[in-house]
Amino acid sequence: LRETAETPQMTPQKTCGVCTQNPPKYKCPTCRVPYCSVACFKKHKESPCQKPEVAKPAPLAPAQPKRPFEEDEEDELGLRLKRSHLEKLATNQDVRAQLRDERLQKTIQEIDSSSNPEQMLGTAMLDPRFQEFCDKVLGTLNPEDKA
C-alpha cells in the first residue's frame, strides 16, 4: 500500500497565521501569511509586512571550455566537421527523416560508444540503410561530388 504521509516542507500551514485558531482560507498578497477572516487580515495589516525574500539563484558555473568538436579548427587529420557542416546536416530534411529510424539511431550509438569505432563503422556499412544514410550525409556536405 502507498503511504500518504505529507512531508513537512510540502505541508501547508494548517492554522491561521494571525489567530492560530482556524484553518486559513486566504493569504496576504504581500507576505503570503495565511489568515482565516477579514478580521485577522485587518489585525495582520496593523503592522507592516514585507514580501518574502526570494532565494537568490546560485551563481552561474564558469563557462565550460569548448570541446574539440565544438571548435571550428581543423584537427590533425582534417576529419572533424566544422560548425557550418553540422548546421547543414541539422537543417537537411532528408537527413533528419532518416535519423528518425530507431535502427539507424542504435547503429550510430553503437559506433559512437564502441572501443573500436572504425571496425563498427565497417560492419555498419554492410547495412544498405546505413550506407544510404552515409551517402546522404556525404552528399549534403559535398554537393559537388553528387555527379
Side-chain angles (χ1 to χ4, degrees):
L1 294 175
R2 192 169 62 152
E3 291 184 33
T4 57
E6 295 180 18
T7 59
Q9 299 126 331
M10 298 179 73
T11 304
Q13 191 167 346
K14 295 182 189 227
T15 60
C16 174
V18 179
C19 71
T20 66
Q21 301 292 315
N22 302 312
K25 294 181 184 177
Y26 317 99
K27 288 186 178 180
C28 172
T30 305
C31 68
R32 311 297 292 156
V33 167
Y35 60 92
C36 65
S37 66
V38 173
C40 283
F41 178 69
K42 287 181 179 178
K43 186 172 184 175
H44 170 69
K45 284 299 179 184
E46 288 174 2
S47 59
C49 61
Q50 298 176 5
K51 281 188 174 184
E53 285 193 33
V54 178
K56 293 181 182 178
L60 295 174
Q64 293 283 331
K66 283 191 173 186
R67 296 172 285 187
F69 66 86
E70 294 176 320
E71 296 176 0
D72 275 343
E73 296 176 16
E74 288 279 325
D75 62 313
E76 306 83 51
L77 302 174
L79 301 175
R80 185 178 307 128
L81 294 177
K82 293 184 177 185
R83 181 173 303 278
S84 60
H85 294 130
L86 295 173
E87 288 170 355
K88 275 185 184 177
L89 292 174
T91 57
N92 183 289
Q93 295 305 313
D94 292 335
V95 171
R96 292 174 64 90
Q98 287 182 313
L99 283 171
R100 289 186 193 105
D101 182 336
E102 289 183 22
R103 194 170 94 195
L104 180 61
Q105 291 175 16
K106 185 177 182 219
T107 301
I108 293 168
Q109 287 173 342
E110 288 172 351
I111 294 168
D112 188 49
S113 62
S114 173
S115 60
N116 191 345
E118 292 85 7
Q119 180 182 4
M120 287 295 295
L121 179 61
T123 303
M125 288 302 285
L126 300 174
D127 178 355
R129 282 188 181 172
F130 185 78
Q131 195 171 27
E132 179 186 343
F133 171 73
C134 291
D135 290 343
K136 177 55 72 178
V137 167
L138 292 172
T140 301
L141 297 177
N142 302 312
E144 63 276 358
D145 292 348
K146 283 186 174 179

